[in-house]
Amino acid sequence: MFPCLKLKRLEERLQCISEFDKPKILLEQYITPWHLGSHVLYTVQSQYGDIDGKLVADLGSGCGALTIGAAVLNAALVIGFEIDEDAINICQENIEDHELSNIDIVQCDVLKGISSRSFILKQADSLGVKAEVLAELSYDLPSTYKFHKKKSVDIQVDFYRFTI
């Protein structure tokens, strides 16, 4: 086991994250639920020691919930990659509210072309990076856009660990 901020304290920090006022349909912007985000980050740190003092990347960082959570867990540096300028502005406000200095945000489209688990694993292998799926998560995504016909839907998300 690796030392870690208490889960309850991490949950409290992530509950305070400001979210999208108007998520963009074309970017399929959804919020990482604070409960899910805090448990994932807590597990990554407490079971693997992969946050404290490490470089952490958040691909598609949005408003910054996972970015801020990793920073709060004492990552040496967290780099959030996000395409949307509005999301970056919200994230920057969240970073300021949490008084964190170990975060950089880069505006770019890192997710373009990433379409499947096999693609990600193949790309990591070609770069000499070991990639493993730590968790296959499923969580309830509430109706977000007007065109959503169901009240909620379970979505599948893979959580990866990359090591050199």
Side-chain angles (χ1 to χ4, degrees):
M1 292 289 270
F2 299 89
C4 188
L5 181 72
K6 298 283 186 203
L7 177 59
K8 182 176 181 179
R9 182 71 181 122
L10 181 59
E11 287 177 338
E12 290 169 356
R13 296 288 296 261
L14 295 188
Q15 283 179 14
C16 300
I17 302 288
S18 295
E19 302 176 353
F20 299 108
D21 290 327
K22 296 179 182 176
K24 295 177 181 163
I25 294 171
L26 293 177
L27 296 176
E28 292 189 56
Q29 293 176 320
Y30 302 101
I31 302 302
T32 302
W34 61 265
H35 181 74
L36 176 66
S38 61
H39 278 78
V40 166
L41 291 167
Y42 182 82
T43 300
V44 168
Q45 177 54 34
S46 64
Q47 298 296 315
Y48 299 95
D50 277 349
I51 297 178
D52 187 12
K54 304 282 175 80
L55 171 64
V56 176
D58 183 1
L59 309 180
S61 56
C63 297
L66 295 176
T67 300
I68 289 169
V72 167
L73 288 173
N74 203 34
L77 177 64
V78 184
I79 303 175
F81 296 91
E82 175 57 49
I83 190 172
D84 181 44
E85 187 174 346
D86 293 333
I88 291 171
N89 291 335
I90 296 168
C91 184
Q92 293 289 9
E93 290 173 12
N94 285 325
I95 292 166
E96 290 171 16
D97 289 347
H98 285 265
E99 300 178 348
L100 298 166
S101 60
N102 56 338
I103 298 174
D104 283 333
I105 304 297
V106 176
Q107 185 174 12
C108 66
D109 187 0
V110 295
L111 299 178
K112 187 175 186 174
I114 297 177
S115 57
S116 68
R117 178 186 297 169
S118 61
F119 175 83
I120 293 169
L121 297 175
K122 182 179 177 182
Q123 290 300 309
D125 187 54
S126 74
L127 296 170
V129 175
K130 180 183 175 194
E132 62 182 308
V133 178
L134 288 184
E136 296 176 35
L137 306 172
S138 175
Y139 74 94
D140 186 44
L141 180 67
S143 176
T144 305
Y145 301 107
K146 290 180 183 179
F147 67 85
H148 285 166
K149 301 207 183 321
K150 296 181 180 179
K151 196 172 187 178
S152 67
V153 64
D154 283 342
I155 63 166
Q156 307 302 312
V157 179
D158 289 341
F159 202 81
Y160 296 87
R161 180 180 192 217
F162 299 95
T163 53
I164 298 175

